[in-house]
Amino acid sequence: MPSAAQIAANDTKTASSKEIEDKIARIRTDIADLGKAVAGYGADKADDLKVASEDALVQLKGELATLERQVSAHVRQNPLRSLALAAGAGVLIALLARR
């Protein structure tokens, strides 16, 4: 038959293992919560980047439209110069492509 000291030691070990199991369960819960928080943060950052990239795209489209109008106006003002420039660029590209 176990002595009173042995029973007390077993109760202490049982209480300690129960405490450890509780702490492990809390840690698992904390890790799951942390994972959810990180996922939410990442989703928020992705949304922010999406909005920023859409804004940049709108701005670039506006700048491209402006440049297109400027080039079109320049070509209409100087048609022969524009034609000569285009022909020269074509010849240069052809020479580079031949090599």
Side-chain angles (χ1 to χ4, degrees):
M1 176 169 216
S3 69
Q6 289 175 340
I7 293 172
N10 285 340
D11 287 343
T12 303
K13 287 180 186 177
T14 304
S16 295
S17 64
K18 178 64 176 156
E19 289 173 4
I20 291 172
E21 289 173 4
D22 289 343
K23 288 180 181 181
I24 290 173
R26 278 183 283 182
I27 290 171
R28 285 183 180 153
T29 303
D30 290 345
I31 290 173
D33 292 342
L34 180 61
K36 290 176 187 175
V38 169
Y41 179 77
D44 289 344
K45 284 296 180 184
D47 290 342
D48 292 346
L49 290 174
K50 182 179 178 184
V51 169
S53 65
E54 288 171 349
D55 291 344
L57 181 62
V58 168
Q59 181 181 1
L60 287 174
K61 283 183 178 181
E63 290 177 13
L64 182 61
T66 302
L67 287 173
E68 184 179 6
R69 284 191 298 275
Q70 289 174 350
V71 168
S72 180
H74 181 71
V75 168
R76 286 191 179 138
Q77 289 174 357
N78 303 306
L80 291 178
R81 183 187 292 172
S82 300
L83 183 63
L85 183 62
V91 169
L92 182 63
I93 291 172
L95 288 174
L96 291 174
R98 269 176 101 178
R99 292 184 178 188

